[in-house]
Amino acid sequence: VSVHTNKGSRGSGVIVGLEDEVKEVTAKGVTKKYRVGYIITCCHVCLSATDPNKYILRFTNGAATTGRMIWMHYQADVAIVKAYVPLQYSAVKVTNGYPEDGDTLVGVGLGGSKAQITNKDSIRRFKVRASEMTGKDWIRSDECLIPGDSDGPLFNEAGELVGLHCMGHESFRKPFRDR
């Protein structure tokens, strides 16, 4: 998911929860079905908006919806946005453990792309090796992140969410488990 503010800031996000109830939303005479979802993204992108209750979320199928921030943790640079999510998307599974030094992890982000997210080709994918954990607070890896990768997901080889991108110049990731 790509998260955009009305001031031009953007970051990556990941769906971490979906409600069961299907809702019909009509806009410009077209009715589409959605579920209410919860997208985790970075606080610094959300805080750059002049209206903290309105974010644009773009999906790889071309759909765009609005959302509002419902929770944030400033020090951890994490925010949760509540929004309508197209039915074809599901929430990611979150790991119960931490990656070990040397584990292969897969990062996903929108870094370097000025275009709107319109298809899966807009998404930047990269493999990284986890290095030492610092008190279980940070995962350090060997990939330098670029603008737009902010709070994109980091997955283990089982496809479970293990962390979120942050501090791109130092390639750190926040473990998701404790957030």
Side-chain angles (χ1 to χ4, degrees), residues 83-134:
Y84 288 120
V85 175
L87 288 181
Q88 74 190 69
Y89 295 96
S90 58
V92 299
K93 183 176 179 184
V94 178
T95 185
N96 286 326
Y98 294 100
E100 298 293 326
D101 188 16
D103 283 356
T104 298
L105 306 173
V106 177
V108 181
L110 298 168
S113 174
K114 298 275 186 201
Q116 295 178 2
I117 179 172
T118 56
N119 59 50
K120 291 181 181 171
D121 294 334
S122 304
I123 300 172
R124 188 170 96 90
R125 295 172 187 83
F126 44 89
K127 284 190 176 183
V128 297
R129 289 258 179 228
S131 61
E132 78 283 352
M133 294 287 288
T134 308

Side-chain angles (χ1 to χ4, degrees), residues 15-27:
I15 302 165
V16 293
L18 289 167
E19 294 181 5
D20 292 332
E21 182 181 352
V22 174
K23 307 221 182 238
E24 290 188 355
V25 178
T26 303

Side-chain angles (χ1 to χ4, degrees), residues 27-175:
K28 298 181 182 178
V30 177
T31 301
K32 295 183 180 180
K33 293 182 179 182
Y34 294 90
R35 288 188 291 170
V36 172
Y38 301 91
I39 294 92
I40 193 163
T41 188
C42 53
C43 183
H44 74 264
V45 168
C46 292
L47 289 178
S48 71
T50 55
D51 184 352
N53 290 312
K54 189 171 183 184
Y55 302 95
I56 306 296
L57 291 93
R58 300 189 191 283
F59 299 86
T60 55
N61 70 352
T65 63
T66 58
R68 66 181 178 86
M69 184 171 53
I70 60 168
W71 180 87
M72 73 170 207
H73 189 289
Y74 183 77
Q75 290 83 2
D77 194 22
V78 175
I80 295 179
V81 175
K82 183 177 180 180
Y84 288 120
V85 175
L87 288 181
Q88 74 190 69
Y89 295 96
S90 58
V92 299
K93 183 176 179 184
V94 178
T95 185
N96 286 326
Y98 294 100
E100 298 293 326
D101 188 16
D103 283 356
T104 298
L105 306 173
V106 177
V108 181
L110 298 168
S113 174
K114 298 275 186 201
Q116 295 178 2
I117 179 172
T118 56
N119 59 50
K120 291 181 181 171
D121 294 334
S122 304
I123 300 172
R124 188 170 96 90
R125 295 172 187 83
F126 44 89
K127 284 190 176 183
V128 297
R129 289 258 179 228
S131 61
E132 78 283 352
M133 294 287 288
T134 308
K136 304 286 187 211
D137 291 331
W138 301 100
I139 306 164
R140 187 168 172 85
S141 75
D142 56 5
E143 174 70 18
C144 188
L145 303 176
I146 53 181
D149 284 340
S150 295
D151 263 14
L154 187 66
F155 298 99
N156 61 20
E157 289 184 309
E160 300 167 322
L161 182 66
V162 296
L164 301 168
H165 308 317
C166 68
M167 296 182 358
H169 61 287
E170 297 182 27
S171 302
F172 280 97
R173 276 76 170 158
K174 298 179 287 254

